[in-house]
Structure formats: C-alpha cells, structure tokens
Amino acid sequence: MADTKQREYSRAEVAKHDGKGALWVIRGNQVFDLTTFHTDHPGGSDILMQFGGQDITEAMRDSDVHVHAIQAYRVLKDFYIGEVMAEDRVTYELPASGKDEMDCVEEEEFLDIHKPLFMQMWNSKFTKEFYLREVHRPRHLPRPAVFFANPLLETLTRTPWWFIPIYWLPIVCTLLYLGVQYESAEVMFVGFVFGVLSWSLLEYSMHRFVFHYDDNIPEGTLAQVAHFLLHGVHHFLPMDQLRLVMPPALSTFLALQILALLSIVFSAGMIHAVSAGLLIGYVLYDECHYWLHHGTSQNKRLSALKTYHLRHHYKDFKAGFGITSDFWDKVFGTEFVASAD
C-alpha cells in the first residue's frame, strides 16, 4: 500500500506497482491505488490487471475497451493517493463534453459508507427524488459495509453465498418427501419441473415490480428505509460480497407469501412439488447472481450475461430486470436501449 505521507509520485514509481499485491494506476495526472479493488472490478480482475502501473486516462474513454460512466469515476475517486510529479505530468485532451469526467463527480451528500447505514437512513430527511437518484449510484467498499451497530442485528444482514443451498435444499427435500404422501411420483415430477421452469418469470416479476417499485414508493423516510432494506442497498453497494444473496429471514418471508398464493391454486402434493421446484430455481438464481458480480468465465454466453446484469447496476437500473436470462426482458420490452451506452 502507499505511504500516506507521500503525495507525489513519478511515473516510473507508479509503473512498479503493477501486480495483485500492489496495483496502482494513473488517471489524469492523479495516482490511484486499486490494490483492494481489482478483485471487485465489475469487468473482472484480469482486465484491470492489464493496466497495472499504467496511465488509464484514455483507456477509460476507449469504446474498444469500455466507456466508463460517471459512476466509475466516483468509485475511482475513493482510491486517490496522490499526484504525478510535475516533471512527469502530461496534458490530456478533454472529452466531447468539454469537462473532465472527474470534475463531473459531485461531492457526497448521501450516506457515509464508513458508518452504520441503517440509522443514517432512519434519521434521514431525503426527498424521494434525491434518494432514488443517489441509491442507484454505485459506491464501493473493500470490505462488507456495516448496516447495524448492534452485532446481532448486523449478523442477520450478512449472508455468504454458500449458506443459501445449505439452508434451502433440506427444505426442498422435505417438501418432496411430504408431497409424495399425497400425489404419485409422476405427478410430483411434473409439478417440480413446472416450478423450476416458472422461476424465471417469477424472478423477473419480483425484480421489476417488487424490488424496483422505485417511482411508486411514497414520499417519506419510512418508505425509503423499506426500499433500502429490500433492494436499495444492493444498488448502493453492488459488490458487497455478503449482501449479494438474500438473507434467509427476508427470503423466507417472501417465500411464505408466495406459498400462500400457491395454496389457492394447487392442491396438497402438487403445491409441495411446485414449491420445491420454485425453491430450486431460487437457489440457482441466487448462486448465479453472486457469480454475475464476482465470477469470471471464458464462456461467451456467461460473459454476456454478466455484462448484461452489471449494465443494470452501472448504467440503467430501469431496464434489464432478468438476471439468469434476458428472455422476459425481450418479451416485455424492458431490454436496454442503445442510448444507455
């Protein structure tokens, strides 16, 4: 890590910090230490490693690499450690807007990510317009954010990816075991497959109409707190590794509401099978969602799916509601439009 007392660096010195143990870059004659960030880089660590120790000013604007939105510069700003020495400074051309991207980053007026978030939200007086704008502007921490000052409550907000199958798969097995007491194995199989296949539509619907109820939430702090707890925090800190899968307390509550609706339509046995299928779909979705944020793959389809979802976070949160598939976005016309790039 950088010596915090030193505020000026030569380009040669920056160039020495080009590995995972110490990854520095130059952007606009400023030096940034991305050592704790490269593993959380939305495009993957390998892409960022290619530019270790280098000047990334033009690369961040290069459409062949990836044109970065202002949110990326907001995140980058947090890793500032100093300036390039006077004799090594260069003059850069301004973008088409005539204003350097860093100058477009506004001062933080929302939440302090270094302090417990819940009470900040609870005591806030944000307008709905301001809240919705700011909560959908991604921030980054090299560690999980703190939600509650109380350790017990804080534990309930943190869920590692591996806990999801451990929690839900025994419940799936129990549902199937109980279901065969009412229906034949053949009927149970049909119901199970129906549940698995139905998940993608439920996933899309919940993400679009429940998690992104955004414009319809009423004015007031209480509504904003509820929105923040349900999904807002995920857009606020999209790379927080312990808040990428849904906490069991919340997912169990939502599952019970869905179960209540299913009980109106299906009889005993079939409701067990369909519920088990939906839960398997949910488990696969949650694990996939975690991978989309932190995984890498050479597979073109998986890479495209990752890019699609991260575009929802970093460019246009009002489109791209499918996570495991973009099928329903195509059906309902919620794909990204070209102007979002």
Side-chain angles (χ1 to χ4, degrees), residues 40-295:
D40 289 342
H41 181 243
S45 175
D46 292 343
I47 294 178
L48 199 55
M49 292 298 296
Q50 296 175 19
F51 297 96
Q54 301 177 39
D55 191 321
I56 63 171
T57 305
E58 296 305 324
M60 291 187 71
R61 298 170 179 167
D62 189 349
S63 59
D64 291 334
V65 178
H66 173 61
V67 178
H68 289 72
I70 292 301
Q71 287 91 326
Y73 292 90
R74 176 193 291 270
V75 171
L76 183 64
K77 193 173 183 179
D78 290 336
F79 296 94
Y80 170 82
I81 58 172
E83 302 285 328
V84 172
M85 296 175 64
E87 53 267 35
D88 280 350
R89 296 173 71 85
V90 299
T91 301
Y92 301 94
E93 290 186 12
L94 291 174
S97 65
K99 188 176 183 181
D100 186 79
E101 292 87 349
M102 277 296 188
D103 294 333
C104 296
V105 177
E106 301 172 356
E107 290 298 319
E108 185 63 77
E109 297 179 353
F110 191 43
L111 304 177
D112 186 341
I113 59 177
H114 303 287
K115 297 178 181 179
L117 298 174
F118 179 79
M119 289 309 298
Q120 291 185 69
M121 278 300 308
W122 187 261
N123 294 322
S124 68
K125 300 295 182 183
F126 305 133
T127 64
K128 184 175 81 169
E129 180 183 8
F130 176 83
Y131 166 76
L132 289 175
R133 182 181 73 244
E134 291 299 317
V135 81
H136 290 106
R137 289 179 172 176
R139 276 73 162 183
H140 177 270
L141 271 178
R143 60 187 182 281
V146 176
F147 225 85
F148 293 103
N150 182 287
L152 178 59
L153 292 176
E154 177 64 15
T155 299
L156 295 176
T157 73
R158 299 185 173 204
T159 310
W161 66 267
W162 49 262
F163 188 75
I164 299 302
I166 290 176
Y167 180 83
W168 285 109
L169 291 184
I171 296 176
V172 169
C173 293
T174 301
L175 286 169
L176 293 174
Y177 174 77
L178 294 175
V180 295
Q181 314 301 315
Y182 299 96
E183 293 285 2
S184 66
E186 291 78 9
V187 172
M188 289 291 293
F189 177 76
V190 172
F192 178 78
V193 172
F194 175 77
V196 172
L197 296 178
S198 298
W199 168 258
S200 67
L201 178 58
L202 182 60
E203 165 200 307
Y204 172 89
S205 300
M206 290 187 65
H207 190 197
R208 180 181 178 184
F209 298 111
V210 180
F211 296 161
H212 279 281
Y213 195 65
D214 304 335
D215 293 336
N216 296 309
I217 66 171
E219 284 282 2
T221 300
L222 189 59
Q224 293 170 19
V225 169
H227 180 277
F228 190 75
L229 291 173
L230 184 63
H231 194 60
V233 66
H234 177 51
H235 275 265
F236 182 61
L237 294 166
M239 302 304 286
D240 191 322
Q241 295 190 20
L242 293 182
R243 294 188 176 87
L244 279 172
V245 295
M246 195 175 296
L250 177 57
S251 56
T252 300
F253 172 78
L254 293 175
L256 290 174
Q257 311 313 306
I258 295 172
L259 181 64
L261 294 176
L262 292 177
S263 66
I264 300 173
V265 180
F266 298 106
S267 59
M270 183 56 77
I271 189 175
H272 291 78
V274 174
S275 297
L278 285 172
L279 286 176
I280 285 294
Y282 164 70
V283 170
L284 294 175
Y285 145 79
D286 237 357
E287 301 303 279
C288 176
H289 184 220
Y290 183 91
W291 182 89
L292 291 176
H293 282 261
H294 288 285

